[in-house]
Amino acid sequence: MAAKDIMRAVQFNSYGGGPAGLKHVEVPVPTPNKGEVLLKLEATTLNPVDWKIQKGMLRPFLPRKFPYIPATDVAGEVIGAGSEVKNFKAGDKVVAVLSHLNGGGLAEYAVAKESLTAARPSEVSAAEGASLPVAGLTAHQALTKSAGIKLDGSGQQKNILITAASGGVGHYAVQLAKLGNTHVTATCGARNIELVKSLGADEVLDYKTPDGAALRSPSGRKYDAVIHCASAMPWSTFEPNLGADGKVIDITPGASAMLTFALKKLTFSKKQLVPLLMIPKSENLDFLVKLVKEGKLKTVIDSKHPLSRAEDAWAKSIDGHATGKIIVEP
């Protein structure tokens, strides 16, 4: 199957502008370098970091240059490969995570590094596969590396709190945590309580109730770790709920979180705030794809949007109340 020379894509040319700042353009189909594969995209998912880059929250690091085609989490079919690619050939269905430096996901074609690409079996849909990279890998790293949970169920039982448990990272974190030996308390909005219970949470709090706002476990547990997926929250809210060595793993640490992290280190507190910087690894992506194939991890899909209406998906992500993942399909 020959690639076209020109493709449809959505880009922004400057900081700010929200959904209205997105421009529909026709640009050349990218060419893979020696260690890259060229993909015909079937699904792309949005993550909050995508609109945060547009908003200028990660300047001067991201984007590397304008114009910028946002989004990094993609699924599609390999239609070309660089000279050093060994594991993939034309016709293979894959999931890949693109670099935030270059983006490229809101388009008909994209190039991905072979080292950040995973095979996608037929049991895993394009939308399910594209949902995994940033959200799934963040949940996986927070639980296994930061919180020390063994996902094979070995290890001592731990009490875990997951905030914003119906969101992209949160809904994976609940399911992955339950593969380990954990008791999961979760917070979400009232409309998603049954959904979060169905994902395996042992206790679910409506974050708008007094107990939910205070993060109090209904069974009175202290948390060994908090996977914090909601927006900023003062340390004083977490502190009384933590076990002696409790950790708060902040997946989107801002300046105040970094300050708390530093202060806790300085005071040698056993209770710690741990900022998470997700490092994508293909073996972890393979692991997550396998769980989806085996029916042990499901993706909740909030909504699907055609590339021609990418603004709607963008607005939905900025609104911050999506249940699960927002998908864009070329």
Side-chain angles (χ1 to χ4, degrees), residues 4-270:
K4 303 181 298 184
D5 299 329
I6 297 287
M7 65 174 183
R8 294 180 304 128
V10 172
Q11 66 186 34
F12 50 85
N13 302 334
S14 60
Y15 290 120
L22 300 181
K23 305 278 178 265
H24 290 266
V25 293
E26 294 202 329
V27 293
V29 170
T31 307
N33 292 329
K34 52 194 182 185
E36 295 179 328
V37 287
L38 173 62
L39 308 178
K40 183 177 198 299
L41 298 185
E42 295 167 30
T44 299
T45 63
L46 296 183
N47 293 291
V49 68
D50 297 326
W51 56 260
K52 288 177 180 177
I53 291 171
Q54 183 199 31
K55 216 169 160 184
M57 288 164 80
L58 297 164
R59 71 170 99 178
F61 307 107
L62 296 173
R64 195 150 70 181
K65 58 179 193 288
F66 294 115
Y68 179 81
I69 298 173
T72 57
D73 293 11
V74 299
E77 183 177 328
V78 176
I79 57 167
S83 56
E84 290 178 9
V85 171
K86 297 186 180 61
N87 299 320
F88 298 102
K89 59 185 189 312
D92 287 351
K93 298 282 192 178
V94 296
V95 178
V97 54
L98 314 177
S99 151
H100 281 111
L101 283 173
N102 304 315
L106 285 186
E108 291 180 288
Y109 298 87
V111 289
K113 286 194 174 88
E114 179 183 29
S115 59
L116 290 174
T117 301
R120 175 168 62 88
S122 58
E123 296 89 340
V124 180
S125 72
E128 287 172 320
S131 296
L132 289 170
V134 165
L137 290 172
T138 297
H140 179 270
Q141 185 177 319
L143 288 162
T144 58
K145 293 280 180 293
S146 308
I149 308 284
K150 294 185 170 61
L151 299 188
D152 59 2
S154 67
Q156 289 178 304
Q157 193 183 40
K158 293 197 173 175
N159 293 325
I160 302 291
L161 170 69
I162 297 165
T163 61
S166 57
V169 177
H171 91 285
Y172 286 137
V174 169
Q175 297 175 77
L176 290 170
K178 289 309 294 178
L179 295 175
N181 184 11
T182 63
H183 180 281
V184 172
T185 306
T187 69
C188 62
R191 70 193 168 97
N192 288 320
I193 287 175
E194 289 311 314
L195 169 74
V196 172
K197 281 185 180 158
S198 77
L199 297 175
D202 299 289
E203 313 177 309
V204 187
L205 290 160
D206 171 356
Y207 74 94
K208 289 198 166 137
T209 61
D211 277 351
L215 307 178
R216 271 194 290 274
S217 157
S219 58
R221 288 160 198 263
K222 298 289 186 213
Y223 308 121
D224 298 302
V226 179
I227 312 297
H228 182 43
C229 308
S231 48
M233 208 175 261
W235 175 255
S236 56
T237 307
F238 294 114
E239 221 267 344
N241 297 296
L242 294 174
D245 300 329
K247 285 181 178 175
V248 177
I249 298 143
D250 194 341
I251 67 160
T252 52
S256 65
M258 292 310 233
L259 191 62
T260 302
F261 170 64
L263 287 171
K264 291 282 142 203
K265 281 276 187 230
L266 285 174
T267 55
F268 303 104
S269 165
K270 282 209 150 85

Side-chain angles (χ1 to χ4, degrees), residues 309-325:
R309 302 289 310 151
E311 299 83 353
D312 298 348
W314 203 254
K316 190 134 208 185
S317 183
I318 291 174
D319 177 53
H321 290 99
T323 301
K325 298 294 294 174

